[in-house]
Amino acid sequence: MYQIALITHIVGITLMAGTTLLEYLLTKHFWKLYASDRSRAITTNEDGFNFHLIVNIGIILLILSGVTMLVITQGVFAKQIWFQIKIGLIVIIAINGSAFGRKQDAKLKRLISLEKLNSLQDDPRGQENRNTDLMKVKNRLDLFYVSQLLMFLTIFTLSVFKFN
C-alpha cells in the first residue's frame, strides 16, 4: 500500500511541476510570437488549454497520497526537517499559484482582450499604457514561473536526499 501511495505522490508532484513547466514554455512562446505577430499571438492565446485542472488534479493526488503515507508510516517523516520544508514549499506553491499566478494570467487575458478590441476599433490611444501593463505582466509571470519551478526542484531534491 505504501508503494502505491508513493507512486501516486510522485505522479501528483510530477503533474504539478510538469504542467508548470509546460505553461512557462507556452508563455515564453506567446511572448516571442507577440513580438513578431501580435494578432497571431492573441489568437493562439485565446485558443489555449486551461492547465489549472491538471495542476488541481496533481494537488489532490499529492495531498491524498501524502496523508496516506503519513498514516502508514505513523508520521515518521513529519518530524524530519526536509519533510517540513517540503510541506512548506508545497503550501507556498499552492498559494502562489492560486493568488499570484492566476491573477497575472487573468490580467494578461484582460489586456489581450482590450488590445484585440482596440485594434478592431483602430484606436491608438492607450496603446503605450497597454504595452507598459503587458510588460509588467510578462515580467511578473516570468518571476512566477521561475520561482515555482525552483521550488519544485527544491522539493524533488529534498525528497531524494532527505537532508536532516
Side-chain angles (χ1 to χ4, degrees), residues 1 8 22 26 57-58 66 72 95 141:
M1 182 70 166
T8 306
L22 182 61
L26 288 172
I57 291 169
I72 290 171
I95 291 170
L141 280 171

Side-chain angles (χ1 to χ4, degrees), residues 7-25:
I7 290 169
T8 306
H9 199 68
I10 292 168
V11 167
I13 193 78
T14 303
L15 279 175
M16 291 173 65
T19 303
T20 301
L21 178 60
L22 182 61
E23 285 179 328
Y24 179 56
L25 294 174

